[in-house]
Amino acid sequence: AQSVTQLDSHVSVSEGTPVLLRCNYSSSYSPSLFWYVQHPNKGLQLLLKYTSAATLVKGINGFEAEFKKSETSFHLTKPSAHMSDAAEYFCVVSDDRSQGNLIFGKGTKLSVKP
Amino acid sequence: EAGVAQSPRYKIIEKRQSVAFWCNPISGHATLYWYQQILGQGPKLLIQFQNNGVVDDSQLPKDRFSAERLKGVDSTLKIQPAKLEDSAVYLCASSPTGQETQYFGPGTRLLVL
């Protein structure tokens, strides 16, 4: 069965420093992987997705993620954090038993200090 | 393009009462999803519709939860009777047929007292 594990429940960085949010996945097949962001009192927004094309995926707002099959990882990075990046981030895998169903990790809360 | 609409945004009820949530997906999106997000956790799928048919409701607590999408457009999720543990954010999402990317609404925050 598919699953995702977000290794940190809370990450705190200073504005202008790099961001690393870690995610490991488990899947029997070649998975589709996503990162979603959730700002307070707002809906989930897609940051980026991996669907077996290039292993380095670029998303919105300067975020990117690298699919590493050997490590079963899909970590999210950004070179320089901005105050507006403070939010909850979810790593997500597509459930291959039922097309379209998404399995979410527990989330990582990103705090950005001035 | 208008996004996924949900109402109400907030609801407070007492246990054993009933409650209903409404969702209007993005125009033309055939697939509609309802998720439950408990505080501190990621969203969990409750039910998936393709047009007006149910594709997956394996995680829907059918003794108290029901959902319908009669005309294949908007959808209603109902809880009757509500329990304390139903306190959560209920998210609606939609996607075009054959696409994995889902577009989420702002959610309905439910508090059961």
Side-chain angles (χ1 to χ4, degrees):
Chain A
Q2 290 77 16
S3 66
V4 288
T5 301
Q6 292 185 245
L7 300 170
D8 307 292
S9 58
H10 191 192
V11 170
S12 182
V13 301
S14 297
E15 190 174 21
T17 64
V19 175
L20 170 63
L21 305 183
R22 298 182 294 165
C23 172
N24 287 111
Y25 69 90
S26 172
S27 177
S28 303
Y29 303 93
S30 183
S32 293
L33 293 160
F34 308 77
W35 277 96
Y36 277 84
V37 61
Q38 187 174 39
H39 287 92
N41 298 316
K42 292 190 177 181
L44 287 155
Q45 181 184 19
L46 179 68
L47 274 180
L48 50 82
K49 67 177 180 179
Y50 166 78
T51 54
S52 73
T55 56
L56 183 63
V57 183
K58 294 188 183 298
I60 62 172
N61 300 334
F63 284 93
E64 61 182 37
E66 186 172 7
F67 174 74
K68 292 186 176 180
K69 187 175 181 179
S70 60
E71 299 176 9
T72 61
S73 69
F74 190 57
H75 301 335
L76 181 71
T77 60
K78 182 173 180 177
S80 177
H82 191 273
M83 295 296 291
S84 61
D85 294 329
E88 187 96 21
Y89 292 80
F90 292 94
C91 183
V92 184
V93 65
S94 180
D95 184 352
D96 56 26
R97 296 170 303 166
S98 180
Q99 184 180 4
N101 289 358
L102 302 180
I103 298 172
F104 284 75
K106 291 188 175 181
T108 298
K109 183 177 180 179
L110 176 65
S111 298
V112 182
K113 298 175 289 186
Chain B
E1 177 181 80
V4 177
Q6 290 188 248
S7 67
R9 292 295 309 276
Y10 305 93
K11 190 75 177 179
I12 301 175
I13 62 172
E14 296 186 349
K15 61 183 179 183
R16 291 188 289 273
Q17 286 186 323
S18 62
V19 64
F21 313 127
W22 175 82
C23 171
N24 194 24
I26 293 173
S27 178
H29 284 194
T31 312
L32 184 148
Y33 310 81
W34 282 102
Y35 289 84
Q36 180 192 58
Q37 185 178 18
I38 293 173
L39 187 64
Q41 299 182 19
K44 183 186 78 171
L45 180 71
L46 291 175
I47 188 167
Q48 177 188 354
F49 291 94
Q50 180 72 20
N51 296 308
N52 61 350
V54 175
V55 174
D56 183 355
D57 63 356
S58 58
Q59 298 190 83
L60 186 73
K62 298 181 187 63
D63 57 334
R64 298 183 302 106
F65 286 65
S66 64
E68 59 183 16
R69 194 185 184 199
L70 294 176
K71 297 182 179 179
V73 180
D74 58 344
S75 175
T76 303
L77 176 69
K78 296 180 181 177
I79 308 175
Q80 182 179 11
K83 292 185 175 182
L84 296 177
E85 58 262 35
D86 298 332
S87 294
V89 176
Y90 291 84
L91 296 165
C92 181
S94 69
S95 65
T97 301
Q99 287 195 25
E100 291 178 306
T101 301
Q102 297 181 21
Y103 300 85
F104 285 81
T108 296
R109 187 175 298 273
L110 173 68
L111 179 60
V112 182
L113 302 175

